[in-house]
Amino acid sequence: MTHYDLVVVGTGSGNTIVTKQFADRKVAIVERGIFGGTCLNVGCIPTKMFVHTADLAAVPSHSSRLGVDEQLVGVRWPDIRDRIFGRIDPISAGGAEYREHHPNNVNVTLYHGTGRFTAERELTVTANHGGSTEVLTADQFVLAAGSRPIVPFIPGLEETGFHTSDTIMRLPELPRRLGIIGSGFVAAEFAHVFSSLGVEVTLIARSDRMLRHEDSEIAKRYTELAAEKYTVKLLHETVHVWRRNDAIILKTLSPAGADEIAVDEVLVAVGRTPNSDLLDVGVTGVEVEKDGRVVVDEFQQTAVEGIYALGDVCSPYQLKHVANHEARVVQHNLLHPDDRIKSDHRYVPHAVFGSPQVASVGLTEEEAIDQGISYAVGREAYADIAYGWAMEDTTGFAKLLADPDTGLLLGAHIIGPQASTVIQPIIQAMSFGLDAHTMARGQYWIHPAMPELIENALLNIKLKN
């Protein structure tokens, strides 16, 4: 049994907490998977590198509208894959090496293994290789263990074999046909990637639209556009999976009846679940929600004093920028227990890097209606701004919601080129209390540039004053 001042479980955003400010403390870091966490290894970073490649591969499909006749001559999947992981894998290995051997980390011990609580402040770590165990006790813990893909029970799925976002990016070769079970942001992004690289994609959605958590206008538009690029099966539930000769057969049920879909690989992308169960957090007295999320207060502390949590293991957002924010809060509160700060989750933005991009912050129109909040809407289409003409974009738009009395922004939803970038001024305005009129008229907007989409949408909001 080894005692520490602080034990951090997880090496994603949790790893960023332990800086030189903790040099006077004995620290342990525990990681059951690949050093660096989800974002670096199987999430945000590699997927967006794939997405950028897919965006380039998709250009010939629409360049003729601009008078440029292009052709996609070929896709070298091994080169695409190896360029991405040839950069990412060394970063992960380098991070582990730094923690284990750098002189700045003499007070830090890195454990490669799975930690399970066996008492309130006692974590038993089983090594990844060899199965040896070590018991760690600590005055303080930070739970930053992240989440993992949900794998629903579908008869035959386990026996047949499947991929999740953890494995699909390292395929040895591109399949001819890919079946994707799911319709959220992970499914949307991978459908874009593989369809752009020439794979026949069939996306199977239980709901009546893709991205169903987005504003309904955005989700409807995205679903329509996706269906023009690959096969989208709405209101289909996968009920059985098996192999037939060289193919994988997915049996689905829909209002139209039963269907069989033949593919070469299957990607399961139906969501993620917190890793709190793997930690046995209940042993400590830490509370969890029904969906497995660790319960924390505004200081990111659990019900047990001295045990903090951050990121996917406790957050409903499951976003790296949220985990990074919470890590900064936890770090401050560990260093300054008498002057703690609170997390700010008022205006959490997100983006879907599909085709087209989607970005959102704040209330959707449906949420405003459900909560009885008065709102005014301002819209602008990419087709109505000069740079939209340059791109020949006829499908993208911005939709802004504002308080009709004060003009303060309540939400923003964008679908179209570079939506994840174009939305940033709205996030800033909401965070610092800038009203729509002041935002629109109180600054210059570069002409002709894409942010004019936001300027015009702001001006189109009909306020009472």
Side-chain angles (χ1 to χ4, degrees):
M1 185 178 291
T2 308
H3 186 76
Y4 292 89
D5 297 309
L6 172 66
V7 171
V8 177
V9 185
T11 59
S13 296
N15 179 56
T16 66
I17 290 173
V18 186
T19 61
K20 62 183 180 181
Q21 295 166 289
F22 289 83
D24 61 343
R25 305 189 192 191
K26 186 178 180 181
V27 179
I29 300 176
V30 180
E31 176 56 68
R32 65 184 289 267
I34 306 173
F35 190 95
T38 297
C39 175
L40 173 64
N41 296 292
V42 294
C44 336
I45 296 176
T47 57
K48 275 50 190 185
M49 294 177 79
F50 275 104
V51 162
H52 180 67
T53 303
D55 289 344
L56 294 178
V59 168
S61 68
H62 51 77
S63 65
S64 60
R65 297 201 308 261
L66 307 178
V68 179
D69 297 324
E70 295 181 321
Q71 194 173 18
L72 181 62
V73 228
V75 168
R76 301 191 306 275
W77 171 257
D79 291 354
I80 294 170
R81 179 198 61 212
D82 296 347
R83 177 188 78 89
I84 292 168
F85 290 107
R87 183 164 191 172
I88 287 171
D89 291 347
I91 295 173
S92 173
E97 174 74 14
Y98 174 79
R99 283 303 186 196
E100 290 176 314
H101 301 297
H102 196 278
N104 289 349
N105 288 282
V106 291
N107 64 314
V108 179
T109 303
L110 175 61
Y111 291 88
H112 296 278
T114 300
R116 288 185 177 274
F117 282 101
T118 42
E120 181 178 312
R121 298 182 189 274
E122 178 184 283
L123 189 76
T124 299
V125 180
T126 303
N128 287 338
H129 304 290
S132 60
T133 61
E134 186 160 353
V135 178
L136 317 181
T137 59
D139 298 325
Q140 295 177 310
F141 284 86
V142 174
L143 311 182
S147 61
R148 63 187 186 276
I150 293 171
V151 179
F153 173 73
I154 302 173
L157 182 65
E158 291 282 352
E159 297 82 354
T160 304
F162 62 93
H163 289 278
T164 67
S165 55
D166 286 355
T167 60
I168 192 72
M169 290 180 282
R170 293 186 187 257
L171 284 170
E173 59 185 21
L174 277 181
R176 184 169 66 86
R177 302 165 298 183
L178 175 65
I180 300 179
I181 301 173
S183 57
F185 75 94
V186 175
E189 291 183 0
F190 279 117
H192 165 49
V193 167
F194 284 101
S195 64
S196 297
L197 298 181
V199 177
E200 295 176 20
V201 171
T202 301
L203 185 141
I204 303 166
R206 291 177 60 184
S207 62
D208 62 350
R209 61 189 183 275
M210 294 178 66
L211 304 181
R212 61 187 177 86
H213 294 299
E214 300 292 338
D215 184 275
S216 62
E217 288 186 55
I218 298 286
K220 182 181 178 184
R221 176 65 53 86
Y222 191 92
T223 305
E224 292 169 350
L225 297 174
E228 296 174 2
K229 300 178 176 72
Y230 45 85
T231 301
V232 178
K233 301 274 190 179
L234 301 176
L235 299 173
H236 277 63
E237 182 170 4
T238 307
V239 295
H240 193 197
V241 183
W242 70 92
R243 286 191 179 272
R244 178 190 296 159
N245 300 324
D246 293 332
I248 297 173
I249 308 300
L250 303 172
K251 181 180 179 181
T252 65
L253 292 179
S254 72
D259 195 7
E260 289 186 3
I261 302 162
V263 298
D264 301 304
E265 298 285 357
V266 175
L267 168 63
V268 176
V270 297
R272 299 181 67 86
T273 188
N275 284 327
S276 58
D277 58 328
L278 303 181
L279 293 173
D280 283 345
V281 295
V283 174
T284 67
V286 167
E287 299 172 355
V288 295
E289 303 281 4
K290 290 181 179 179
D291 62 3
R293 285 182 293 116
V294 169
V295 177
V296 294
D297 61 16
E298 63 269 35
F299 303 107
Q300 296 299 135
Q301 182 170 272
T302 69
V304 179
E305 186 177 354
I307 300 182
Y308 289 84
L310 63 93
D312 287 7
V313 79
C314 64
S315 170
Y317 300 105
Q318 296 187 342
L319 296 165
K320 178 63 171 176
H321 45 276
V322 173
N324 285 345
H325 169 77
E326 293 173 349
R328 291 190 290 270
V329 170
V330 170
Q331 181 191 60
H332 176 94
N333 292 342
L334 290 170
L335 293 169
H336 308 283
D338 297 324
D339 184 27
R340 296 193 300 172
I341 60 175
K342 300 176 181 180
S343 287
D344 182 358
H345 295 128
R346 292 173 303 155
Y347 309 115
V348 176
H350 68 265
V352 182
F353 293 81
S355 178
Q357 284 190 13
V358 169
S360 176
V361 64
L363 294 177
T364 65
E365 187 168 5
E366 293 72 36
E367 288 170 339
I369 293 170
D370 289 344
Q371 296 175 32
I373 296 174
S374 297
Y375 65 93
V377 176
R379 292 180 177 81
E380 181 73 357
Y382 279 79
D384 292 333
I385 63 170
Y387 207 89
W389 304 350
M391 294 183 292
E392 287 289 327
D393 188 284
T394 60
T395 59
F397 65 90
K399 176 181 179 180
L400 309 184
L401 278 66
D403 184 308
D405 295 308
T406 65
L408 292 175
L409 291 156
L410 302 171
H413 312 280
I414 305 174
I415 180 169
Q418 294 299 318
S420 58
T421 301
V422 173
I423 200 172
Q424 191 63 43
I426 295 293
I427 302 167
Q428 183 174 351
M430 293 175 70
S431 298
F432 294 101
L434 193 64
D435 68 89
H437 182 268
T438 303
M439 183 183 179
R441 283 294 179 243
Q443 62 181 318
Y444 279 105
W445 297 82
I446 292 175
H447 175 80
M450 276 196 278
E452 285 187 314
L453 182 80
I454 299 301
E455 178 191 17
N456 292 350
L458 289 166
L459 294 172
N460 289 335
I461 298 173
K462 304 300 181 186
L463 304 177
K464 291 182 179 179
N465 298 315

